[in-house]
Amino acid sequence: MTGQTGHLGSLEDIVEPDDNLLRETEAESTIPPVRRAIVVLVSDSAMDSDDRTGDLVTELLSEDNFEVDGVVSVAAKRSTIRKAIETAVVGGADLVVTIGGTGAGPRNKTPDATRAVLDQILPGIAQALRASGLACGAIDACTSRGIAGVSGSTVIVNLAPSRAAIRDGMATLGPLVHHVIDQLQQWTCD
């Protein structure tokens, strides 16, 4: 066939890919979802409550792609700690971070109040927090009785109250908690 026929060309000649659209689609798929968190500050008295601690935890959570819905200060009583955690769980928080009340002293009730709310305990998270606390020299982190676990679809983690324990704990916590939340959402979405 030597005659001239119309040539449409290849599909790429007809439909040019929109590089901007491809980049936007790729960017959207790599942006991790923003998750909701509540911070519970446990203290022996209202005077122990430190706004800077709440600000620090909020900042660190924000850097880890959490939107902090609130920072709540509660007395170091098992019932008030439990009520604050339960309220956050019912409110649909993805993460509850408690600060304080994790030591061995008689007024340290946070792990006990947390245990009463949990459906599952995640010992690996608490172990990782103690190990990293020891490595960074945060004595209260490595001697903490703090626990971690799941209540419904909310991850709950107890941190010791020193700035070193908070900074190191939050650095350790991020990838672990995101992994657990992904697992929880996978099962609730299917």
Side-chain angles (χ1 to χ4, degrees):
M1 299 180 112
T2 57
Q4 191 171 10
T5 61
H7 177 65
L8 293 175
S10 70
L11 184 59
E12 288 142 357
D13 293 337
I14 297 170
V15 180
E16 293 181 25
D18 184 349
D19 290 334
N20 290 330
L21 181 60
L22 289 174
R23 277 192 289 274
E24 287 174 16
T25 305
E26 289 171 0
E28 288 172 8
S29 67
T30 60
I31 297 173
V34 174
R35 294 177 162 150
R36 297 178 47 226
I38 298 288
V39 178
V40 178
L41 302 176
V42 179
S43 64
D44 286 336
S45 70
M47 293 177 64
D48 286 347
S49 178
D50 185 355
D51 289 338
R52 293 178 304 181
T53 300
D55 292 343
L56 173 62
V57 177
T58 298
E59 178 184 330
L60 294 171
L61 283 168
S62 295
E63 289 173 3
D64 215 4
N65 215 34
F66 283 94
E67 182 177 317
V68 177
D69 289 344
V71 176
V72 181
S73 294
V74 297
K77 293 182 181 177
R78 192 181 308 200
S79 61
T80 57
I81 299 165
R82 181 178 177 165
K83 183 177 179 181
I85 294 170
E86 287 174 337
T87 301
V89 170
V90 170
D94 296 303
L95 172 65
V96 176
V97 177
T98 69
I99 307 294
T102 60
R107 295 183 307 222
N108 292 291
K109 303 293 183 191
T110 303
D112 309 305
T114 302
R115 188 174 288 108
V117 176
L118 296 179
D119 299 323
Q120 301 177 65
I121 294 178
L122 301 170
I125 291 177
Q127 290 166 355
L129 292 171
R130 281 189 277 279
S132 65
L134 179 61
C136 83
I139 300 300
D140 62 332
C142 67
T143 61
S144 170
R145 293 187 312 116
I147 62 173
V150 176
S151 179
S153 60
T154 303
V155 178
I156 303 163
V157 179
N158 304 149
L159 290 179
S162 72
R163 291 184 78 75
I166 292 168
R167 285 187 181 283
D168 183 71
M170 294 302 299
T172 302
L173 195 59
L176 302 174
V177 169
H178 281 293
H179 177 73
V180 173
I181 293 171
D182 287 343
Q183 286 183 323
L184 293 170
Q185 291 179 349
Q186 174 185 356
W187 290 107
T188 57
C189 294
D190 288 347

